[in-house]
C-alpha cells in the first residue's frame, strides 16, 4: 500500500470507531482539525496516488466521518446518551466493514509493469496459443 492510502485508512477507520464509542461531543478544535486533516490527506491521495476501487470502503468511511463531524458542528446535542446498546449494535456492523476496508487494498495491491529497459522503450508480451484438434469428426 502507498503512504497516503495507509494514512487515510488509519485516519478514517480510527475516526469511525471514535464516533461509534464517543461519549461526549468533541471540541470544535478536534472537529475542525480532523475534518481539515481528512480533506488534506484525501486530496493528496487523490492527486498524487490516484483513486482505486479497492479503497472504496475507506472513501465511504471518510465521507461518513466528515458528514458526522459536520453534523456535530451544526447541531449541539442537548443531552449525552449513556446507553451501551447503540454502540454495540453499530460495532457489529462496523467490525466487518473495517476488516473489509483494510483487507481489500491488501488483497488487491496496486499492479504496475516493470519499466522497459534498453535504448528503445518497447515492451513485449508473449502468448501461447494451443489449437485443439478434434479427431474423428467428419470434414
Amino acid at each position: 500500500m502507498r503512504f497516503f492510502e495507509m494514512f487515510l485508512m488509519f485516519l478514517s477507520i480510527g475516526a469511525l470507531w471514535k464516533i461509534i464509542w464517543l461519549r461526549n461531543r468533541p471540541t470544535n478544535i478536534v472537529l475542525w482539525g480532523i475534518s481539515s486533516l481528512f480533506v488534506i490527506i484525501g486530496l493528496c491521495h487523490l492527486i498524487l496516488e490516484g483513486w482505486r476501487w479497492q479503497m472504496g470502503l475507506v472513501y465511504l468511511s471518510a465521507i461518513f466521518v466528515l458528514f458526522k463531524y459536520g453534523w456535530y458542528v451544526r447541531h449541539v446535542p442537548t443531552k449525552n446518551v449513556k446507553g451501551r446498546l447503540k454502540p454495540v449494535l453499530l460495532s457489529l456492523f462496523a467490525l466487518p466493514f473495517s476488516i473489509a476496508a483494510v483487507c481489500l487494498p491488501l488483497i488487491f495491491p496496486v499492479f504496475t509493469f516493470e519499466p522497459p529497459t534498453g535504448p528503445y522503450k518497447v515492451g513485449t508480451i508473449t502468448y501461447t496459443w494451443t489449437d485443439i484438434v478434434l479427431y474423428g469428426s467428419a470434414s
Side-chain angles (χ1 to χ4, degrees), residues 8-97:
L8 185 64
M9 179 183 301
F10 291 131
L11 184 65
S12 65
I13 300 297
L16 177 68
W17 283 95
K18 177 71 175 163
I19 286 174
I20 291 173
W21 289 97
L22 185 67
R23 287 273 186 204
N24 298 324
R25 183 183 185 278
T27 63
N28 281 337
I29 294 172
V30 171
L31 290 175
W32 287 104
I34 291 180
S35 298
S36 301
L37 191 60
F38 263 114
V39 170
I40 291 168
I41 297 302
L43 286 175
C44 287
H45 164 66
L46 292 175
I47 292 170
L48 298 175
E49 297 173 343
W51 71 277
R52 59 189 191 119
W53 69 268
Q54 294 92 334
M55 294 285 292
L57 295 176
V58 174
Y59 301 148
L60 284 176
S61 66
I63 290 169
F64 173 76
V65 168
L66 283 174
F67 278 123
K68 187 67 173 178
Y69 278 8
W71 185 83
Y72 279 141
V73 168
R74 292 191 164 266
H75 300 89
V76 177
T78 56
K79 63 178 182 174
N80 290 332
V81 179
K82 299 292 184 191
R84 289 194 179 253
L85 183 61
K86 184 178 176 183
V88 169
L89 292 176
L90 285 173
S91 296
L92 291 176
F93 171 74
L95 183 64
F97 181 85

